[in-house]
Amino acid sequence: MRLIVGLGNPGAEYEWTRHNLGFLLIDKLAVAAGVAVKRRECRSLVGSATIEGERVRLVKPQTFMNLSGEAVACLLAKAEITDPAKSLIVISDDLALPFGTIRLRARGSAGGHNGLKSIIAAIGTNEFVRLRIGIQPEHPVSNAKAFVLEHFRKSQQTEVEEVLERSAEAVSTLLRDGISKAMSIYN
């Protein structure tokens, strides 16, 4: 059993924001697997699925970004997962990566991302897989908090759909062939 956690903020006002790419990818994976992510558990919306022959739980924490770790720690404990390195995949946006770029890592720091900081603090390790989706614009950002909470422009919809498709393929490859193979293809 693997937990695939997409980071984002709950509420209609955040649905199409840069900070919600994790939620958007969870929704895409759920549609492809024919499941709904709506069961309430550990302050999250959860859906069970099978992707590439692996049993997974698709998760959208409803705690808001900065408290995501509380939800993830609760779900790991309930599922009796003691080794996040083998069972946890976290999907987040990344302001340090150019828009449309994706990066898979087997472990690493929070890189300034408050959702990742919260998870690392709550579970006591940074040894878990993460898929980061770049949102960095071509121009300098003076207010990062405001930028990540802005909605994508309508003109970016096709690009967002393309990066979500590539990200979904990366998750499938990761589940089927492992992190090393997925990194060699998508990084």
Side-chain angles (χ1 to χ4, degrees), residues 5-151:
V5 179
L7 298 183
N9 286 314
E13 66 271 30
Y14 298 108
E15 278 180 14
W16 192 243
T17 63
R18 294 176 179 92
H19 224 20
N20 270 36
L21 279 169
F23 277 15
L24 292 171
L25 184 53
I26 291 294
D27 291 342
K28 183 167 194 60
L29 293 168
V31 167
V35 301
V37 179
K38 63 181 181 182
R39 187 175 73 252
R40 294 194 175 278
E41 186 177 348
C42 290
R43 298 174 63 194
S44 299
L45 297 177
V46 180
S48 297
T50 300
I51 301 174
E52 295 295 337
E54 289 244 16
R55 289 182 330 124
V56 300
R57 296 176 81 200
L58 301 172
V59 178
K60 293 168 42 174
Q62 300 296 289
T63 54
F64 286 92
M65 187 67 74
N66 296 355
L67 300 175
S68 298
E70 294 174 9
V72 172
C74 177
L75 288 164
L76 288 171
K78 279 188 89 168
E80 298 179 357
I81 293 172
T82 57
D83 188 1
K86 293 186 176 127
S87 302
L88 177 62
I89 301 167
V90 177
I91 303 158
S92 68
D93 61 287
D94 192 324
L95 189 54
L97 287 176
F99 177 64
T101 303
I102 65 174
R103 286 286 179 272
L104 282 159
R105 294 282 183 259
R107 68 192 57 79
S109 72
H113 192 286
N114 289 332
L116 290 172
K117 281 182 195 172
S118 174
I119 292 170
I120 291 167
I123 68 173
T125 183
N126 66 358
E127 299 279 327
F128 58 88
V129 173
R130 71 272 325 266
L131 169 62
R132 300 176 303 140
I133 305 172
I135 60 169
Q136 180 186 68
E138 293 177 7
H139 57 80
V141 174
S142 58
N143 184 339
K145 182 179 178 182
F147 179 78
V148 300
L149 295 176
E150 286 175 3
H151 289 84

